[in-house]
Short mmCIF file of all heavy atoms in Angstrom, two decimals:
data_model
loop_
_atom_site.label_atom_id
_atom_site.label_comp_id
_atom_site.label_asym_id
_atom_site.label_seq_id
_atom_site.Cartn_x
_atom_site.Cartn_y
_atom_site.Cartn_z
N PRO I 1 -144.67 -5.06 4.70
CA PRO I 1 -144.93 -5.14 6.14
C PRO I 1 -145.58 -3.89 6.75
O PRO I 1 -145.85 -3.90 7.95
CB PRO I 1 -143.54 -5.39 6.73
CG PRO I 1 -142.75 -5.99 5.62
CD PRO I 1 -143.25 -5.33 4.38
N ASP I 2 -145.80 -2.83 5.98
CA ASP I 2 -146.59 -1.71 6.49
C ASP I 2 -148.08 -2.01 6.41
O ASP I 2 -148.89 -1.30 7.00
CB ASP I 2 -146.30 -0.44 5.70
CG ASP I 2 -144.94 0.16 6.03
OD1 ASP I 2 -144.38 -0.21 7.08
OD2 ASP I 2 -144.44 0.97 5.24
N VAL I 3 -148.45 -3.05 5.65
CA VAL I 3 -149.86 -3.38 5.41
C VAL I 3 -150.34 -4.33 6.50
O VAL I 3 -149.78 -5.42 6.70
CB VAL I 3 -150.04 -4.02 4.03
CG1 VAL I 3 -151.51 -4.37 3.80
CG2 VAL I 3 -149.54 -3.08 2.94
N PHE I 4 -151.37 -3.90 7.19
CA PHE I 4 -151.88 -4.63 8.34
C PHE I 4 -153.36 -4.94 8.13
O PHE I 4 -154.15 -4.07 7.77
CB PHE I 4 -151.68 -3.78 9.60
CG PHE I 4 -152.19 -4.40 10.88
CD1 PHE I 4 -151.43 -5.32 11.58
CD2 PHE I 4 -153.44 -4.04 11.38
CE1 PHE I 4 -151.89 -5.87 12.76
CE2 PHE I 4 -153.91 -4.60 12.57
CZ PHE I 4 -153.14 -5.51 13.25
N TYR I 5 -153.74 -6.20 8.36
CA TYR I 5 -155.13 -6.64 8.23
C TYR I 5 -155.69 -7.00 9.61
O TYR I 5 -154.97 -7.49 10.49
CB TYR I 5 -155.24 -7.87 7.33
CG TYR I 5 -154.68 -7.70 5.93
CD1 TYR I 5 -153.60 -8.47 5.49
CD2 TYR I 5 -155.23 -6.78 5.05
CE1 TYR I 5 -153.09 -8.33 4.21
CE2 TYR I 5 -154.72 -6.63 3.76
CZ TYR I 5 -153.66 -7.41 3.35
OH TYR I 5 -153.15 -7.28 2.08
N TYR I 6 -157.02 -6.81 9.74
CA TYR I 6 -157.69 -7.04 11.02
C TYR I 6 -159.11 -7.51 10.74
O TYR I 6 -159.76 -7.02 9.81
CB TYR I 6 -157.69 -5.72 11.81
CG TYR I 6 -158.34 -5.74 13.18
CD1 TYR I 6 -157.57 -5.62 14.34
CD2 TYR I 6 -159.73 -5.83 13.33
CE1 TYR I 6 -158.16 -5.59 15.60
CE2 TYR I 6 -160.32 -5.81 14.58
CZ TYR I 6 -159.52 -5.70 15.72
OH TYR I 6 -160.10 -5.68 16.96
N GLY I 7 -159.61 -8.45 11.55
CA GLY I 7 -160.95 -8.96 11.34
C GLY I 7 -161.85 -8.85 12.55
O GLY I 7 -161.53 -9.41 13.61
N SER I 8 -162.95 -8.13 12.44
CA SER I 8 -164.01 -8.16 13.44
C SER I 8 -165.08 -9.09 12.87
O SER I 8 -164.79 -10.25 12.64
CB SER I 8 -164.54 -6.74 13.71
OG SER I 8 -165.00 -6.14 12.51
N ASN I 9 -166.29 -8.62 12.65
CA ASN I 9 -167.20 -9.34 11.77
C ASN I 9 -167.06 -8.79 10.35
O ASN I 9 -167.65 -9.32 9.42
CB ASN I 9 -168.66 -9.23 12.25
CG ASN I 9 -169.12 -7.79 12.39
OD1 ASN I 9 -168.46 -6.98 13.04
ND2 ASN I 9 -170.25 -7.47 11.79
N LYS I 10 -166.22 -7.74 10.24
CA LYS I 10 -165.89 -7.16 8.95
C LYS I 10 -164.38 -7.23 8.74
O LYS I 10 -163.63 -7.56 9.65
CB LYS I 10 -166.38 -5.70 8.88
CG LYS I 10 -167.88 -5.54 9.07
CD LYS I 10 -168.30 -4.08 9.02
CE LYS I 10 -169.81 -3.93 9.20
NZ LYS I 10 -170.23 -2.51 9.15
N PHE I 11 -163.95 -6.90 7.53
CA PHE I 11 -162.53 -6.95 7.19
C PHE I 11 -161.97 -5.53 7.16
O PHE I 11 -162.54 -4.63 6.53
CB PHE I 11 -162.35 -7.60 5.81
CG PHE I 11 -160.93 -7.70 5.35
CD1 PHE I 11 -160.06 -8.61 5.92
CD2 PHE I 11 -160.46 -6.88 4.33
CE1 PHE I 11 -158.75 -8.71 5.49
CE2 PHE I 11 -159.15 -6.97 3.90
CZ PHE I 11 -158.29 -7.88 4.48
N HIS I 12 -160.86 -5.33 7.86
CA HIS I 12 -160.26 -4.00 7.98
C HIS I 12 -158.81 -4.05 7.51
O HIS I 12 -158.13 -5.08 7.64
CB HIS I 12 -160.29 -3.51 9.43
CG HIS I 12 -161.62 -3.65 10.09
ND1 HIS I 12 -162.58 -2.66 10.09
CD2 HIS I 12 -162.17 -4.69 10.78
CE1 HIS I 12 -163.65 -3.07 10.75
NE2 HIS I 12 -163.42 -4.29 11.19
N ARG I 13 -158.34 -2.92 6.98
CA ARG I 13 -156.97 -2.86 6.47
C ARG I 13 -156.39 -1.47 6.73
O ARG I 13 -157.11 -0.47 6.75
CB ARG I 13 -156.93 -3.14 4.97
CG ARG I 13 -155.52 -3.19 4.38
CD ARG I 13 -155.55 -3.06 2.87
NE ARG I 13 -156.00 -1.72 2.47
CZ ARG I 13 -156.24 -1.35 1.21
NH1 ARG I 13 -156.09 -2.23 0.23
NH2 ARG I 13 -156.63 -0.12 0.93
N ASN I 14 -155.08 -1.43 6.94
CA ASN I 14 -154.37 -0.16 7.02
C ASN I 14 -153.05 -0.30 6.28
O ASN I 14 -152.39 -1.34 6.34
CB ASN I 14 -154.13 0.24 8.48
CG ASN I 14 -153.29 1.51 8.58
OD1 ASN I 14 -152.08 1.43 8.76
ND2 ASN I 14 -153.92 2.66 8.44
N LEU I 15 -152.63 0.75 5.60
CA LEU I 15 -151.39 0.72 4.82
C LEU I 15 -150.24 1.38 5.55
O LEU I 15 -149.16 1.53 4.98
CB LEU I 15 -151.62 1.43 3.47
CG LEU I 15 -152.78 0.88 2.62
CD1 LEU I 15 -152.92 1.69 1.33
CD2 LEU I 15 -152.56 -0.59 2.29
N ASN I 16 -150.45 1.76 6.82
CA ASN I 16 -149.42 2.45 7.57
C ASN I 16 -149.29 1.88 8.99
O ASN I 16 -149.55 2.56 9.97
CB ASN I 16 -149.72 3.96 7.63
CG ASN I 16 -148.59 4.75 8.28
OD1 ASN I 16 -147.43 4.35 8.25
ND2 ASN I 16 -148.95 5.86 8.91
N LYS I 17 -148.98 0.61 9.08
CA LYS I 17 -148.66 -0.06 10.35
C LYS I 17 -149.81 -0.03 11.35
O LYS I 17 -149.61 0.07 12.55
CB LYS I 17 -147.41 0.56 10.98
CG LYS I 17 -146.17 0.50 10.11
CD LYS I 17 -144.98 1.14 10.81
CE LYS I 17 -143.73 1.09 9.95
NZ LYS I 17 -142.57 1.71 10.63
N GLY I 18 -151.03 -0.12 10.83
CA GLY I 18 -152.19 -0.22 11.70
C GLY I 18 -152.67 1.07 12.32
O GLY I 18 -153.51 1.04 13.23
N GLU I 19 -152.18 2.21 11.86
CA GLU I 19 -152.49 3.49 12.52
C GLU I 19 -153.98 3.79 12.54
O GLU I 19 -154.54 4.05 13.60
CB GLU I 19 -151.75 4.62 11.80
CG GLU I 19 -150.25 4.63 12.03
CD GLU I 19 -149.88 5.16 13.41
OE1 GLU I 19 -150.76 5.70 14.10
OE2 GLU I 19 -148.70 5.04 13.80
N LYS I 20 -154.64 3.79 11.39
CA LYS I 20 -156.08 4.04 11.32
C LYS I 20 -156.69 3.05 10.35
O LYS I 20 -156.55 3.19 9.13
CB LYS I 20 -156.35 5.48 10.87
CG LYS I 20 -155.95 6.54 11.90
CD LYS I 20 -156.33 7.92 11.43
CE LYS I 20 -155.94 8.98 12.47
NZ LYS I 20 -156.30 10.36 12.03
N LEU I 21 -157.36 2.06 10.89
CA LEU I 21 -157.90 0.99 10.06
C LEU I 21 -159.09 1.46 9.23
O LEU I 21 -159.93 2.22 9.70
CB LEU I 21 -158.33 -0.18 10.94
CG LEU I 21 -157.18 -0.98 11.59
CD1 LEU I 21 -157.73 -1.93 12.62
CD2 LEU I 21 -156.38 -1.71 10.53
N GLU I 22 -159.12 1.01 8.00
CA GLU I 22 -160.22 1.29 7.07
C GLU I 22 -161.05 0.03 6.91
O GLU I 22 -160.51 -1.06 6.72
CB GLU I 22 -159.64 1.70 5.71
CG GLU I 22 -160.67 2.02 4.65
CD GLU I 22 -160.04 2.32 3.30
OE1 GLU I 22 -158.80 2.18 3.17
OE2 GLU I 22 -160.78 2.68 2.37
N THR I 23 -162.36 0.16 7.03
CA THR I 23 -163.26 -0.98 6.88
C THR I 23 -163.52 -1.20 5.40
O THR I 23 -164.07 -0.33 4.72
CB THR I 23 -164.58 -0.74 7.62
OG1 THR I 23 -164.30 -0.50 9.00
CG2 THR I 23 -165.49 -1.95 7.50
N LEU I 24 -163.14 -2.37 4.89
CA LEU I 24 -163.23 -2.64 3.45
C LEU I 24 -164.40 -3.54 3.06
O LEU I 24 -164.65 -3.73 1.88
CB LEU I 24 -161.93 -3.27 2.95
CG LEU I 24 -160.67 -2.42 3.05
CD1 LEU I 24 -159.50 -3.14 2.38
CD2 LEU I 24 -160.87 -1.06 2.42
N SER I 25 -165.09 -4.12 4.04
CA SER I 25 -166.16 -5.06 3.69
C SER I 25 -167.38 -4.81 4.56
O SER I 25 -167.32 -4.10 5.57
CB SER I 25 -165.69 -6.50 3.88
OG SER I 25 -165.72 -6.86 5.25
N GLY I 26 -168.47 -5.44 4.17
CA GLY I 26 -169.63 -5.53 5.04
C GLY I 26 -169.46 -6.71 5.97
O GLY I 26 -168.35 -7.25 6.12
N ASP I 27 -170.55 -7.14 6.57
CA ASP I 27 -170.51 -8.28 7.48
C ASP I 27 -170.20 -9.55 6.67
O ASP I 27 -170.95 -9.91 5.77
CB ASP I 27 -171.85 -8.40 8.20
CG ASP I 27 -171.80 -9.36 9.38
OD1 ASP I 27 -170.87 -10.18 9.46
OD2 ASP I 27 -172.70 -9.30 10.23
N LEU I 28 -169.10 -10.21 7.00
CA LEU I 28 -168.70 -11.42 6.28
C LEU I 28 -169.17 -12.69 6.98
O LEU I 28 -168.80 -13.79 6.58
CB LEU I 28 -167.17 -11.45 6.13
CG LEU I 28 -166.57 -10.32 5.29
CD1 LEU I 28 -165.05 -10.43 5.25
CD2 LEU I 28 -167.14 -10.33 3.87
N THR I 29 -170.00 -12.53 8.02
CA THR I 29 -170.55 -13.69 8.73
C THR I 29 -172.02 -13.84 8.37
O THR I 29 -172.55 -13.09 7.53
CB THR I 29 -170.40 -13.51 10.25
OG1 THR I 29 -171.37 -12.56 10.72
CG2 THR I 29 -169.00 -13.03 10.61
N ASN I 30 -172.68 -14.78 9.03
CA ASN I 30 -174.11 -14.96 8.80
C ASN I 30 -174.96 -14.05 9.67
O ASN I 30 -176.17 -14.20 9.73
CB ASN I 30 -174.49 -16.43 9.05
CG ASN I 30 -173.83 -17.35 8.05
OD1 ASN I 30 -173.74 -17.04 6.86
ND2 ASN I 30 -173.33 -18.48 8.52
N GLY I 31 -174.30 -13.13 10.37
CA GLY I 31 -175.04 -12.14 11.14
C GLY I 31 -175.02 -12.41 12.63
O GLY I 31 -174.61 -13.47 13.11
N LYS I 32 -175.46 -11.42 13.37
CA LYS I 32 -175.45 -11.47 14.83
C LYS I 32 -176.44 -12.50 15.36
O LYS I 32 -177.54 -12.66 14.83
CB LYS I 32 -175.80 -10.08 15.38
CG LYS I 32 -175.98 -10.02 16.89
CD LYS I 32 -176.44 -8.64 17.31
CE LYS I 32 -176.79 -8.58 18.78
NZ LYS I 32 -177.28 -7.25 19.18
N LYS I 33 -176.02 -13.20 16.41
CA LYS I 33 -176.92 -14.06 17.15
C LYS I 33 -176.82 -13.70 18.63
O LYS I 33 -175.75 -13.41 19.12
CB LYS I 33 -176.56 -15.55 16.95
CG LYS I 33 -176.93 -16.09 15.59
CD LYS I 33 -176.77 -17.59 15.54
CE LYS I 33 -177.21 -18.15 14.18
NZ LYS I 33 -177.10 -19.64 14.14
N GLU I 34 -177.96 -13.72 19.30
CA GLU I 34 -177.96 -13.37 20.71
C GLU I 34 -177.24 -14.44 21.52
O GLU I 34 -177.34 -15.63 21.23
CB GLU I 34 -179.40 -13.22 21.21
CG GLU I 34 -180.17 -12.09 20.55
CD GLU I 34 -179.58 -10.72 20.81
OE1 GLU I 34 -178.94 -10.57 21.87
OE2 GLU I 34 -179.76 -9.83 19.97
N GLY I 35 -176.52 -14.02 22.52
CA GLY I 35 -175.81 -14.97 23.37
C GLY I 35 -174.94 -14.23 24.35
O GLY I 35 -174.91 -13.00 24.39
N LYS I 36 -174.24 -14.98 25.16
CA LYS I 36 -173.43 -14.40 26.22
C LYS I 36 -171.98 -14.14 25.79
O LYS I 36 -171.18 -13.63 26.56
CB LYS I 36 -173.44 -15.32 27.45
CG LYS I 36 -174.84 -15.50 28.03
CD LYS I 36 -175.52 -14.17 28.35
CE LYS I 36 -176.87 -14.36 29.00
NZ LYS I 36 -177.59 -13.09 29.19
N ILE I 37 -171.63 -14.52 24.57
CA ILE I 37 -170.34 -14.15 24.00
C ILE I 37 -170.59 -13.74 22.56
O ILE I 37 -171.58 -14.15 21.96
CB ILE I 37 -169.31 -15.30 24.05
CG1 ILE I 37 -169.84 -16.54 23.33
CG2 ILE I 37 -168.95 -15.64 25.49
CD1 ILE I 37 -168.82 -17.65 23.21
N PRO I 38 -169.72 -12.92 21.97
CA PRO I 38 -169.93 -12.51 20.58
C PRO I 38 -169.90 -13.72 19.65
O PRO I 38 -169.04 -14.59 19.78
CB PRO I 38 -168.75 -11.57 20.31
CG PRO I 38 -168.28 -11.13 21.64
CD PRO I 38 -168.53 -12.27 22.56
N PHE I 39 -170.82 -13.77 18.72
CA PHE I 39 -170.87 -14.83 17.71
C PHE I 39 -171.21 -14.18 16.37
O PHE I 39 -171.89 -13.17 16.31
CB PHE I 39 -171.91 -15.89 18.07
CG PHE I 39 -171.91 -17.08 17.14
CD1 PHE I 39 -170.89 -18.01 17.22
CD2 PHE I 39 -172.89 -17.23 16.19
CE1 PHE I 39 -170.87 -19.11 16.37
CE2 PHE I 39 -172.89 -18.33 15.33
CZ PHE I 39 -171.88 -19.27 15.43
N GLY I 40 -170.70 -14.82 15.30
CA GLY I 40 -170.76 -14.19 14.00
C GLY I 40 -169.57 -13.27 13.87
O GLY I 40 -169.70 -12.06 13.64
N THR I 41 -168.37 -13.85 14.04
CA THR I 41 -167.12 -13.08 14.04
C THR I 41 -166.10 -13.77 13.14
O THR I 41 -166.16 -14.98 12.91
CB THR I 41 -166.52 -12.97 15.45
OG1 THR I 41 -166.22 -14.28 15.94
CG2 THR I 41 -167.50 -12.31 16.41
N LEU I 42 -165.14 -13.01 12.65
CA LEU I 42 -164.04 -13.60 11.89
C LEU I 42 -163.04 -14.23 12.85
O LEU I 42 -162.79 -13.70 13.94
CB LEU I 42 -163.36 -12.55 11.02
CG LEU I 42 -164.24 -11.88 9.95
CD1 LEU I 42 -163.42 -10.92 9.10
CD2 LEU I 42 -164.91 -12.92 9.06
N THR I 43 -162.48 -15.35 12.45
CA THR I 43 -161.53 -16.09 13.30
C THR I 43 -160.17 -16.26 12.64
O THR I 43 -159.19 -16.54 13.34
CB THR I 43 -162.08 -17.49 13.63
OG1 THR I 43 -162.36 -18.18 12.41
CG2 THR I 43 -163.36 -17.39 14.45
N THR I 44 -160.09 -16.12 11.32
CA THR I 44 -158.84 -16.41 10.61
C THR I 44 -158.64 -15.45 9.46
O THR I 44 -159.58 -15.15 8.72
CB THR I 44 -158.86 -17.85 10.04
OG1 THR I 44 -159.13 -18.77 11.09
CG2 THR I 44 -157.52 -18.19 9.40
N ILE I 45 -157.41 -14.95 9.33
CA ILE I 45 -157.00 -14.16 8.17
C ILE I 45 -155.67 -14.71 7.69
O ILE I 45 -154.74 -14.88 8.47
CB ILE I 45 -156.83 -12.67 8.51
CG1 ILE I 45 -158.16 -12.05 8.96
CG2 ILE I 45 -156.28 -11.90 7.30
CD1 ILE I 45 -158.02 -10.60 9.40
N VAL I 46 -155.57 -14.99 6.39
CA VAL I 46 -154.31 -15.44 5.81
C VAL I 46 -154.14 -14.79 4.44
O VAL I 46 -155.04 -14.85 3.60
CB VAL I 46 -154.28 -16.98 5.64
CG1 VAL I 46 -152.98 -17.40 4.96
CG2 VAL I 46 -154.41 -17.68 6.98
N GLU I 47 -152.98 -14.18 4.23
CA GLU I 47 -152.65 -13.65 2.91
C GLU I 47 -151.73 -14.63 2.20
O GLU I 47 -150.83 -15.22 2.81
CB GLU I 47 -151.96 -12.29 3.04
CG GLU I 47 -151.66 -11.66 1.66
CD GLU I 47 -150.95 -10.33 1.80
OE1 GLU I 47 -149.99 -10.24 2.60
OE2 GLU I 47 -151.32 -9.37 1.09
N SER I 48 -151.93 -14.79 0.91
CA SER I 48 -151.10 -15.69 0.12
C SER I 48 -149.63 -15.29 0.23
O SER I 48 -149.29 -14.11 0.17
CB SER I 48 -151.54 -15.65 -1.35
OG SER I 48 -150.58 -16.27 -2.18
#
C-alpha cells in the first residue's frame, strides 16, 4: 500500500505514498487532439 499509481497521458508511480511521482512511460494514448477539453488521456488503472 505504499505503492501509488497515477495516469495522465503517461503512467506514473511512486513507492512512498505518492510523495514524488516518477514517470515510467511515454504517451500511452494516440496523441493530443485539439479541443475544448483534454483528449488523449488515461481513464483507467487496475493492478492485478
Side-chain angles (χ1 to χ4, degrees):
D2 287 342
V3 180
F4 179 83
Y5 302 117
Y6 180 110
S8 57
N9 56 309
K10 301 179 179 180
F11 180 73
H12 312 268
R13 184 197 67 186
N14 176 264
L15 304 178
N16 186 28
K17 301 180 180 180
E19 289 284 350
K20 292 183 179 180
L21 289 170
E22 180 184 5
T23 302
L24 296 186
S25 78
D27 193 342
L28 296 178
T29 75
N30 295 319
K32 173 185 173 182
K33 287 190 177 182
E34 297 297 332
K36 298 306 183 185
I37 58 174
F39 186 74
T41 62
L42 298 184
T43 57
T44 305
I45 297 176
V46 177
E47 183 182 45
S48 167

